[in-house]
Amino acid sequence: MKKLILYSALTLSLTGTTFAQPSGGPGGPPGEDPCKTERQTYCKDSRHGHESDRCLREYMSKLSETCKNHINEMMSRFEKFRSACAADEEKYCKNVERGHAYMKCMRENESKLSAACKAALPSPPPGGGPRM
């Protein structure tokens, strides 16, 4: 179970769609993937998404500090979110698959969420609303 949660967190964090840093953070300008170089170097033949994220994990020891820091920060944000929103998730999005549909469900129920969960809910990706 813990592996599934960590895998989901890593997938969300590396794709940058859910917990992306609006200011660009340590990876550069807004919307830029801090692991772009590593994806191109080690995972150029992997499809974007789960496959690419899985590939990056295999090369974790070779990733730049910027990419490692980004992954660690996104994992930390995701864990805080999961902890703050566990009860709300059970109420409103229990049977929703992880990923975009899950975040869409949480945002659709935002007015009903606890204060702690609202505070931990990541901002929607640039361009308005969840990507499908």
Side-chain angles (χ1 to χ4, degrees), residues 6-55:
L6 290 176
Y7 178 74
S8 296
L10 186 59
T11 299
L12 290 172
S13 68
L14 294 178
T15 59
T17 58
T18 304
F19 290 84
Q21 299 170 353
S23 65
E32 187 173 310
D33 179 3
C35 298
K36 181 179 180 178
T37 301
E38 288 84 347
R39 285 183 201 283
Q40 292 171 344
T41 302
Y42 303 115
C43 305
K44 64 183 174 202
D45 296 328
S46 299
R47 289 182 295 167
H48 186 71
H50 297 296
E51 190 177 314
S52 176
D53 297 343
R54 193 174 307 126
C55 174

mmCIF file of all heavy atoms in Angstrom, residues 6-55:
data_model
loop_
_atom_site.group_PDB
_atom_site.id
_atom_site.type_symbol
_atom_site.label_atom_id
_atom_site.label_comp_id
_atom_site.label_asym_id
_atom_site.label_seq_id
_atom_site.Cartn_x
_atom_site.Cartn_y
_atom_site.Cartn_z
ATOM 1 N N LEU A 6 3.429 5.999 -2.663
ATOM 2 C CA LEU A 6 4.659 6.660 -3.088
ATOM 3 C C LEU A 6 4.765 6.704 -4.603
ATOM 4 O O LEU A 6 5.184 7.702 -5.167
ATOM 5 C CB LEU A 6 5.874 5.973 -2.480
ATOM 6 C CG LEU A 6 6.031 6.161 -0.981
ATOM 7 C CD1 LEU A 6 7.212 5.345 -0.462
ATOM 8 C CD2 LEU A 6 6.206 7.612 -0.624
ATOM 9 N N TYR A 7 4.354 5.636 -5.274
ATOM 10 C CA TYR A 7 4.389 5.621 -6.730
ATOM 11 C C TYR A 7 3.438 6.681 -7.281
ATOM 12 O O TYR A 7 3.779 7.419 -8.193
ATOM 13 C CB TYR A 7 4.027 4.251 -7.279
ATOM 14 C CG TYR A 7 4.004 4.235 -8.781
ATOM 15 C CD1 TYR A 7 5.192 4.261 -9.499
ATOM 16 C CD2 TYR A 7 2.806 4.242 -9.481
ATOM 17 C CE1 TYR A 7 5.187 4.276 -10.874
ATOM 18 C CE2 TYR A 7 2.796 4.255 -10.851
ATOM 19 C CZ TYR A 7 3.988 4.269 -11.540
ATOM 20 O OH TYR A 7 3.979 4.293 -12.902
ATOM 21 N N SER A 8 2.235 6.762 -6.707
ATOM 22 C CA SER A 8 1.273 7.777 -7.146
ATOM 23 C C SER A 8 1.825 9.171 -6.920
ATOM 24 O O SER A 8 1.699 10.049 -7.767
ATOM 25 C CB SER A 8 -0.046 7.627 -6.391
ATOM 26 O OG SER A 8 -0.640 6.397 -6.684
ATOM 27 N N ALA A 9 2.442 9.371 -5.769
ATOM 28 C CA ALA A 9 3.014 10.679 -5.464
ATOM 29 C C ALA A 9 4.117 11.022 -6.443
ATOM 30 O O ALA A 9 4.192 12.152 -6.944
ATOM 31 C CB ALA A 9 3.563 10.691 -4.038
ATOM 32 N N LEU A 10 4.977 10.075 -6.712
ATOM 33 C CA LEU A 10 6.071 10.321 -7.639
ATOM 34 C C LEU A 10 5.537 10.617 -9.034
ATOM 35 O O LEU A 10 5.996 11.526 -9.704
ATOM 36 C CB LEU A 10 7.023 9.128 -7.677
ATOM 37 C CG LEU A 10 8.285 9.301 -8.499
ATOM 38 C CD1 LEU A 10 9.096 10.487 -7.967
ATOM 39 C CD2 LEU A 10 9.121 8.051 -8.464
ATOM 40 N N THR A 11 4.538 9.870 -9.439
ATOM 41 C CA THR A 11 3.950 10.097 -10.755
ATOM 42 C C THR A 11 3.387 11.501 -10.841
ATOM 43 O O THR A 11 3.636 12.226 -11.801
ATOM 44 C CB THR A 11 2.841 9.063 -11.034
ATOM 45 O OG1 THR A 11 3.432 7.771 -11.009
ATOM 46 C CG2 THR A 11 2.186 9.312 -12.372
ATOM 47 N N LEU A 12 2.634 11.908 -9.841
ATOM 48 C CA LEU A 12 2.064 13.252 -9.848
ATOM 49 C C LEU A 12 3.139 14.317 -9.805
ATOM 50 O O LEU A 12 3.068 15.322 -10.503
ATOM 51 C CB LEU A 12 1.120 13.437 -8.650
ATOM 52 C CG LEU A 12 -0.176 12.660 -8.715
ATOM 53 C CD1 LEU A 12 -0.910 12.772 -7.385
ATOM 54 C CD2 LEU A 12 -1.060 13.146 -9.838
ATOM 55 N N SER A 13 4.149 14.077 -8.999
ATOM 56 C CA SER A 13 5.179 15.104 -8.857
ATOM 57 C C SER A 13 6.034 15.246 -10.097
ATOM 58 O O SER A 13 6.363 16.346 -10.512
ATOM 59 C CB SER A 13 6.060 14.816 -7.650
ATOM 60 O OG SER A 13 6.826 13.658 -7.855
ATOM 61 N N LEU A 14 6.406 14.146 -10.689
ATOM 62 C CA LEU A 14 7.295 14.228 -11.840
ATOM 63 C C LEU A 14 6.597 14.755 -13.076
ATOM 64 O O LEU A 14 7.216 15.398 -13.910
ATOM 65 C CB LEU A 14 7.917 12.869 -12.126
ATOM 66 C CG LEU A 14 8.864 12.365 -11.052
ATOM 67 C CD1 LEU A 14 9.381 10.981 -11.414
ATOM 68 C CD2 LEU A 14 10.021 13.310 -10.854
ATOM 69 N N THR A 15 5.326 14.475 -13.216
ATOM 70 C CA THR A 15 4.627 14.999 -14.381
ATOM 71 C C THR A 15 4.390 16.486 -14.244
ATOM 72 O O THR A 15 4.163 17.169 -15.229
ATOM 73 C CB THR A 15 3.282 14.283 -14.610
ATOM 74 O OG1 THR A 15 2.472 14.446 -13.466
ATOM 75 C CG2 THR A 15 3.487 12.825 -14.956
ATOM 76 N N GLY A 16 4.465 16.996 -13.022
ATOM 77 C CA GLY A 16 4.385 18.436 -12.810
ATOM 78 C C GLY A 16 3.004 19.019 -13.011
ATOM 79 O O GLY A 16 2.844 20.231 -12.994
ATOM 80 N N THR A 17 1.981 18.216 -13.173
ATOM 81 C CA THR A 17 0.671 18.765 -13.460
ATOM 82 C C THR A 17 -0.126 19.094 -12.212
ATOM 83 O O THR A 17 -0.997 19.942 -12.265
ATOM 84 C CB THR A 17 -0.154 17.784 -14.310
ATOM 85 O OG1 THR A 17 -0.267 16.557 -13.611
ATOM 86 C CG2 THR A 17 0.466 17.586 -15.670
ATOM 87 N N THR A 18 0.171 18.463 -11.124
ATOM 88 C CA THR A 18 -0.623 18.665 -9.932
ATOM 89 C C THR A 18 0.077 19.515 -8.889
ATOM 90 O O THR A 18 -0.508 20.418 -8.329
ATOM 91 C CB THR A 18 -0.995 17.301 -9.310
ATOM 92 O OG1 THR A 18 -1.663 16.539 -10.314
ATOM 93 C CG2 THR A 18 -1.897 17.472 -8.129
ATOM 94 N N PHE A 19 1.316 19.259 -8.651
ATOM 95 C CA PHE A 19 2.043 19.968 -7.622
ATOM 96 C C PHE A 19 3.136 20.838 -8.232
ATOM 97 O O PHE A 19 4.180 21.037 -7.638
ATOM 98 C CB PHE A 19 2.637 18.984 -6.605
ATOM 99 C CG PHE A 19 1.570 18.343 -5.766
ATOM 100 C CD1 PHE A 19 0.886 17.229 -6.209
ATOM 101 C CD2 PHE A 19 1.213 18.885 -4.553
ATOM 102 C CE1 PHE A 19 -0.104 16.653 -5.448
ATOM 103 C CE2 PHE A 19 0.217 18.310 -3.777
ATOM 104 C CZ PHE A 19 -0.437 17.194 -4.236
ATOM 105 N N ALA A 20 2.901 21.348 -9.407
ATOM 106 C CA ALA A 20 3.894 22.186 -10.086
ATOM 107 C C ALA A 20 4.127 23.460 -9.301
ATOM 108 O O ALA A 20 3.237 23.974 -8.641
ATOM 109 C CB ALA A 20 3.419 22.520 -11.491
ATOM 110 N N GLN A 21 5.325 23.954 -9.387
ATOM 111 C CA GLN A 21 5.666 25.183 -8.699
ATOM 112 C C GLN A 21 5.288 26.360 -9.590
ATOM 113 O O GLN A 21 5.814 26.510 -10.677
ATOM 114 C CB GLN A 21 7.160 25.222 -8.410
ATOM 115 C CG GLN A 21 7.600 24.100 -7.526
ATOM 116 C CD GLN A 21 9.101 24.008 -7.447
ATOM 117 O OE1 GLN A 21 9.827 24.697 -8.146
ATOM 118 N NE2 GLN A 21 9.578 23.131 -6.600
ATOM 119 N N PRO A 22 4.355 27.220 -9.145
ATOM 120 C CA PRO A 22 3.915 28.308 -9.986
ATOM 121 C C PRO A 22 5.023 29.282 -10.344
ATOM 122 O O PRO A 22 5.019 29.875 -11.395
ATOM 123 C CB PRO A 22 2.825 28.997 -9.158
ATOM 124 C CG PRO A 22 2.893 28.412 -7.803
ATOM 125 C CD PRO A 22 3.698 27.158 -7.875
ATOM 126 N N SER A 23 6.010 29.452 -9.490
ATOM 127 C CA SER A 23 7.080 30.404 -9.766
ATOM 128 C C SER A 23 8.228 29.774 -10.529
ATOM 129 O O SER A 23 9.202 30.419 -10.836
ATOM 130 C CB SER A 23 7.620 30.959 -8.439
ATOM 131 O OG SER A 23 8.220 29.909 -7.706
ATOM 132 N N GLY A 24 8.106 28.508 -10.815
ATOM 133 C CA GLY A 24 9.188 27.819 -11.493
ATOM 134 C C GLY A 24 10.142 27.169 -10.508
ATOM 135 O O GLY A 24 10.765 26.192 -10.808
ATOM 136 N N GLY A 25 10.253 27.709 -9.319
ATOM 137 C CA GLY A 25 11.057 27.125 -8.249
ATOM 138 C C GLY A 25 12.478 26.833 -8.659
ATOM 139 O O GLY A 25 13.027 27.464 -9.543
ATOM 140 N N PRO A 26 13.087 25.836 -8.035
ATOM 141 C CA PRO A 26 14.483 25.551 -8.287
ATOM 142 C C PRO A 26 14.756 24.990 -9.672
ATOM 143 O O PRO A 26 15.887 24.873 -10.073
ATOM 144 C CB PRO A 26 14.854 24.528 -7.206
ATOM 145 C CG PRO A 26 13.587 23.967 -6.720
ATOM 146 C CD PRO A 26 12.523 24.980 -6.999
ATOM 147 N N GLY A 27 13.737 24.660 -10.425
ATOM 148 C CA GLY A 27 13.947 24.072 -11.731
ATOM 149 C C GLY A 27 14.003 25.068 -12.866
ATOM 150 O O GLY A 27 14.268 24.703 -13.995
ATOM 151 N N GLY A 28 13.746 26.331 -12.616
ATOM 152 C CA GLY A 28 13.783 27.310 -13.683
ATOM 153 C C GLY A 28 12.465 28.020 -13.841
ATOM 154 O O GLY A 28 11.691 28.132 -12.903
ATOM 155 N N PRO A 29 12.197 28.506 -15.054
ATOM 156 C CA PRO A 29 10.994 29.295 -15.312
ATOM 157 C C PRO A 29 9.713 28.505 -15.058
ATOM 158 O O PRO A 29 9.727 27.277 -15.088
ATOM 159 C CB PRO A 29 11.113 29.652 -16.804
ATOM 160 C CG PRO A 29 12.526 29.394 -17.174
ATOM 161 C CD PRO A 29 13.038 28.357 -16.222
ATOM 162 N N PRO A 30 8.589 29.224 -14.845
ATOM 163 C CA PRO A 30 7.311 28.552 -14.606
ATOM 164 C C PRO A 30 6.988 27.577 -15.734
ATOM 165 O O PRO A 30 7.204 27.859 -16.903
ATOM 166 C CB PRO A 30 6.299 29.697 -14.586
ATOM 167 C CG PRO A 30 7.102 30.913 -14.278
ATOM 168 C CD PRO A 30 8.475 30.665 -14.833
ATOM 169 N N GLY A 31 6.473 26.417 -15.342
ATOM 170 C CA GLY A 31 6.066 25.417 -16.307
ATOM 171 C C GLY A 31 7.199 24.563 -16.852
ATOM 172 O O GLY A 31 6.962 23.605 -17.559
ATOM 173 N N GLU A 32 8.439 24.913 -16.545
ATOM 174 C CA GLU A 32 9.569 24.129 -17.045
ATOM 175 C C GLU A 32 9.806 22.942 -16.126
ATOM 176 O O GLU A 32 9.785 23.051 -14.915
ATOM 177 C CB GLU A 32 10.825 24.985 -17.110
ATOM 178 C CG GLU A 32 11.977 24.276 -17.785
ATOM 179 C CD GLU A 32 13.172 25.188 -17.999
ATOM 180 O OE1 GLU A 32 12.975 26.283 -18.537
ATOM 181 O OE2 GLU A 32 14.268 24.797 -17.606
ATOM 182 N N ASP A 33 10.056 21.794 -16.712
ATOM 183 C CA ASP A 33 10.300 20.560 -15.975
ATOM 184 C C ASP A 33 11.731 20.564 -15.450
ATOM 185 O O ASP A 33 12.672 20.542 -16.236
ATOM 186 C CB ASP A 33 10.075 19.379 -16.923
ATOM 187 C CG ASP A 33 10.309 18.023 -16.283
ATOM 188 O OD1 ASP A 33 10.588 17.963 -15.068
ATOM 189 O OD2 ASP A 33 10.203 17.026 -17.010
ATOM 190 N N PRO A 34 11.918 20.576 -14.118
ATOM 191 C CA PRO A 34 13.266 20.560 -13.541
ATOM 192 C C PRO A 34 14.037 19.279 -13.872
ATOM 193 O O PRO A 34 15.235 19.218 -13.684
ATOM 194 C CB PRO A 34 13.045 20.665 -12.034
ATOM 195 C CG PRO A 34 11.655 21.084 -11.860
ATOM 196 C CD PRO A 34 10.900 20.670 -13.080
ATOM 197 N N CYS A 35 13.347 18.276 -14.375
ATOM 198 C CA CYS A 35 13.989 17.006 -14.725
ATOM 199 C C CYS A 35 14.039 16.806 -16.241
ATOM 200 O O CYS A 35 14.274 15.687 -16.714
ATOM 201 C CB CYS A 35 13.240 15.850 -14.059
ATOM 202 S SG CYS A 35 13.241 15.929 -12.250
ATOM 203 N N LYS A 36 13.855 17.865 -16.984
ATOM 204 C CA LYS A 36 13.806 17.776 -18.448
ATOM 205 C C LYS A 36 15.082 17.159 -19.028
ATOM 206 O O LYS A 36 15.022 16.257 -19.862
ATOM 207 C CB LYS A 36 13.582 19.164 -19.040
ATOM 208 C CG LYS A 36 13.482 19.172 -20.539
ATOM 209 C CD LYS A 36 13.222 20.585 -21.054
ATOM 210 C CE LYS A 36 13.125 20.597 -22.568
ATOM 211 N NZ LYS A 36 12.840 21.949 -23.070
ATOM 212 N N THR A 37 16.226 17.635 -18.573
ATOM 213 C CA THR A 37 17.499 17.123 -19.081
ATOM 214 C C THR A 37 17.647 15.639 -18.785
ATOM 215 O O THR A 37 18.058 14.856 -19.653
ATOM 216 C CB THR A 37 18.685 17.895 -18.474
ATOM 217 O OG1 THR A 37 18.534 19.271 -18.806
ATOM 218 C CG2 THR A 37 20.012 17.387 -18.981
ATOM 219 N N GLU A 38 17.286 15.230 -17.578
ATOM 220 C CA GLU A 38 17.385 13.826 -17.194
ATOM 221 C C GLU A 38 16.434 12.961 -18.012
ATOM 222 O O GLU A 38 16.776 11.856 -18.413
ATOM 223 C CB GLU A 38 17.096 13.660 -15.701
ATOM 224 C CG GLU A 38 18.196 14.174 -14.806
ATOM 225 C CD GLU A 38 18.114 15.675 -14.533
ATOM 226 O OE1 GLU A 38 17.357 16.389 -15.206
ATOM 227 O OE2 GLU A 38 18.835 16.130 -13.628
ATOM 228 N N ARG A 39 15.238 13.465 -18.265
ATOM 229 C CA ARG A 39 14.287 12.720 -19.097
ATOM 230 C C ARG A 39 14.874 12.501 -20.488
ATOM 231 O O ARG A 39 14.764 11.424 -21.051
ATOM 232 C CB ARG A 39 12.964 13.468 -19.226
ATOM 233 C CG ARG A 39 12.099 13.414 -18.015
ATOM 234 C CD ARG A 39 10.767 14.118 -18.280
ATOM 235 N NE ARG A 39 10.125 14.508 -17.064
ATOM 236 C CZ ARG A 39 9.464 13.683 -16.259
ATOM 237 N NH1 ARG A 39 9.357 12.415 -16.577
ATOM 238 N NH2 ARG A 39 8.918 14.112 -15.148
ATOM 239 N N GLN A 40 15.471 13.555 -21.046
ATOM 240 C CA GLN A 40 16.051 13.465 -22.388
ATOM 241 C C GLN A 40 17.288 12.576 -22.404
ATOM 242 O O GLN A 40 17.541 11.872 -23.372
ATOM 243 C CB GLN A 40 16.387 14.861 -22.916
ATOM 244 C CG GLN A 40 15.158 15.695 -23.184
ATOM 245 C CD GLN A 40 15.475 17.143 -23.492
ATOM 246 O OE1 GLN A 40 16.573 17.630 -23.245
ATOM 247 N NE2 GLN A 40 14.494 17.850 -24.032
ATOM 248 N N THR A 41 18.066 12.608 -21.331
ATOM 249 C CA THR A 41 19.301 11.822 -21.266
ATOM 250 C C THR A 41 19.037 10.349 -21.001
ATOM 251 O O THR A 41 19.550 9.480 -21.707
ATOM 252 C CB THR A 41 20.225 12.377 -20.161
ATOM 253 O OG1 THR A 41 20.506 13.748 -20.435
ATOM 254 C CG2 THR A 41 21.526 11.590 -20.087
ATOM 255 N N TYR A 42 18.252 10.056 -19.986
ATOM 256 C CA TYR A 42 18.075 8.680 -19.546
ATOM 257 C C TYR A 42 16.783 8.019 -20.024
ATOM 258 O O TYR A 42 16.702 6.796 -20.069
ATOM 259 C CB TYR A 42 18.113 8.599 -18.012
ATOM 260 C CG TYR A 42 19.369 9.156 -17.410
ATOM 261 C CD1 TYR A 42 19.334 10.280 -16.601
ATOM 262 C CD2 TYR A 42 20.598 8.558 -17.658
ATOM 263 C CE1 TYR A 42 20.503 10.796 -16.039
ATOM 264 C CE2 TYR A 42 21.765 9.069 -17.108
ATOM 265 C CZ TYR A 42 21.702 10.200 -16.300
ATOM 266 O OH TYR A 42 22.854 10.708 -15.754
ATOM 267 N N CYS A 43 15.796 8.821 -20.343
ATOM 268 C CA CYS A 43 14.462 8.256 -20.578
ATOM 269 C C CYS A 43 13.835 8.711 -21.893
ATOM 270 O O CYS A 43 12.618 8.761 -22.007
ATOM 271 C CB CYS A 43 13.555 8.629 -19.406
ATOM 272 S SG CYS A 43 14.221 8.141 -17.805
ATOM 273 N N LYS A 44 14.679 9.039 -22.871
ATOM 274 C CA LYS A 44 14.156 9.594 -24.127
ATOM 275 C C LYS A 44 13.251 8.615 -24.877
ATOM 276 O O LYS A 44 12.391 9.037 -25.636
ATOM 277 C CB LYS A 44 15.296 10.055 -25.024
ATOM 278 C CG LYS A 44 16.218 8.959 -25.495
ATOM 279 C CD LYS A 44 17.361 9.497 -26.309
ATOM 280 C CE LYS A 44 18.321 8.347 -26.629
ATOM 281 N NZ LYS A 44 19.630 8.822 -26.948
ATOM 282 N N ASP A 45 13.406 7.324 -24.663
ATOM 283 C CA ASP A 45 12.574 6.341 -25.346
ATOM 284 C C ASP A 45 11.325 5.955 -24.544
ATOM 285 O O ASP A 45 10.525 5.139 -25.001
ATOM 286 C CB ASP A 45 13.383 5.079 -25.670
ATOM 287 C CG ASP A 45 14.509 5.363 -26.658
ATOM 288 O OD1 ASP A 45 14.324 6.253 -27.518
ATOM 289 O OD2 ASP A 45 15.563 4.712 -26.561
ATOM 290 N N SER A 46 11.172 6.547 -23.368
ATOM 291 C CA SER A 46 10.009 6.258 -22.523
ATOM 292 C C SER A 46 8.865 7.189 -22.883
ATOM 293 O O SER A 46 9.081 8.356 -23.201
ATOM 294 C CB SER A 46 10.358 6.467 -21.047
ATOM 295 O OG SER A 46 11.382 5.603 -20.649
ATOM 296 N N ARG A 47 7.658 6.664 -22.810
ATOM 297 C CA ARG A 47 6.482 7.505 -23.037
ATOM 298 C C ARG A 47 6.299 8.423 -21.842
ATOM 299 O O ARG A 47 6.607 8.070 -20.712
ATOM 300 C CB ARG A 47 5.235 6.651 -23.223
ATOM 301 C CG ARG A 47 5.235 5.905 -24.541
ATOM 302 C CD ARG A 47 3.975 5.114 -24.718
ATOM 303 N NE ARG A 47 3.950 4.073 -23.683
ATOM 304 C CZ ARG A 47 2.903 3.356 -23.364
ATOM 305 N NH1 ARG A 47 1.776 3.534 -23.986
ATOM 306 N NH2 ARG A 47 2.968 2.437 -22.423
ATOM 307 N N HIS A 48 5.778 9.622 -22.105
ATOM 308 C CA HIS A 48 5.539 10.597 -21.044
ATOM 309 C C HIS A 48 4.540 10.017 -20.043
ATOM 310 O O HIS A 48 3.642 9.294 -20.404
ATOM 311 C CB HIS A 48 4.994 11.895 -21.644
ATOM 312 C CG HIS A 48 4.855 12.990 -20.645
ATOM 313 N ND1 HIS A 48 5.947 13.629 -20.103
ATOM 314 C CD2 HIS A 48 3.769 13.540 -20.068
ATOM 315 C CE1 HIS A 48 5.521 14.536 -19.245
ATOM 316 N NE2 HIS A 48 4.211 14.508 -19.212
ATOM 317 N N GLY A 49 4.719 10.328 -18.806
ATOM 318 C CA GLY A 49 3.806 9.856 -17.764
ATOM 319 C C GLY A 49 4.455 8.775 -16.923
ATOM 320 O O GLY A 49 5.628 8.865 -16.565
ATOM 321 N N HIS A 50 3.677 7.741 -16.617
ATOM 322 C CA HIS A 50 4.136 6.682 -15.711
ATOM 323 C C HIS A 50 5.448 6.046 -16.174
ATOM 324 O O HIS A 50 6.342 5.815 -15.375
ATOM 325 C CB HIS A 50 3.077 5.583 -15.569
ATOM 326 C CG HIS A 50 1.800 6.035 -14.967
ATOM 327 N ND1 HIS A 50 1.717 6.509 -13.686
ATOM 328 C CD2 HIS A 50 0.544 6.090 -15.475
ATOM 329 C CE1 HIS A 50 0.470 6.842 -13.421
ATOM 330 N NE2 HIS A 50 -0.261 6.602 -14.491
ATOM 331 N N GLU A 51 5.535 5.765 -17.454
ATOM 332 C CA GLU A 51 6.732 5.094 -17.971
ATOM 333 C C GLU A 51 7.976 5.959 -17.790
ATOM 334 O O GLU A 51 9.031 5.492 -17.359
ATOM 335 C CB GLU A 51 6.527 4.747 -19.448
ATOM 336 C CG GLU A 51 7.598 3.858 -20.020
ATOM 337 C CD GLU A 51 7.311 3.473 -21.462
ATOM 338 O OE1 GLU A 51 6.160 3.097 -21.769
ATOM 339 O OE2 GLU A 51 8.250 3.553 -22.277
ATOM 340 N N SER A 52 7.857 7.231 -18.104
ATOM 341 C CA SER A 52 8.972 8.165 -17.958
ATOM 342 C C SER A 52 9.350 8.331 -16.480
ATOM 343 O O SER A 52 10.530 8.357 -16.125
ATOM 344 C CB SER A 52 8.585 9.518 -18.568
ATOM 345 O OG SER A 52 9.588 10.465 -18.358
ATOM 346 N N ASP A 53 8.349 8.422 -15.625
ATOM 347 C CA ASP A 53 8.601 8.573 -14.190
ATOM 348 C C ASP A 53 9.282 7.341 -13.616
ATOM 349 O O ASP A 53 10.202 7.437 -12.816
ATOM 350 C CB ASP A 53 7.295 8.853 -13.443
ATOM 351 C CG ASP A 53 6.643 10.156 -13.867
ATOM 352 O OD1 ASP A 53 7.330 10.995 -14.487
ATOM 353 O OD2 ASP A 53 5.453 10.332 -13.586
ATOM 354 N N ARG A 54 8.841 6.182 -14.044
ATOM 355 C CA ARG A 54 9.451 4.919 -13.595
ATOM 356 C C ARG A 54 10.912 4.878 -14.028
ATOM 357 O O ARG A 54 11.801 4.489 -13.273
ATOM 358 C CB ARG A 54 8.681 3.740 -14.170
ATOM 359 C CG ARG A 54 9.023 2.427 -13.529
ATOM 360 C CD ARG A 54 8.142 1.283 -14.009
ATOM 361 N NE ARG A 54 6.739 1.579 -13.876
ATOM 362 C CZ ARG A 54 5.850 1.505 -14.880
ATOM 363 N NH1 ARG A 54 6.228 1.137 -16.076
ATOM 364 N NH2 ARG A 54 4.588 1.802 -14.683
ATOM 365 N N CYS A 55 11.164 5.321 -15.260
ATOM 366 C CA CYS A 55 12.527 5.352 -15.783
ATOM 367 C C CYS A 55 13.409 6.262 -14.928
ATOM 368 O O CYS A 55 14.523 5.888 -14.560
ATOM 369 C CB CYS A 55 12.499 5.835 -17.233
ATOM 370 S SG CYS A 55 14.138 6.092 -17.932
#
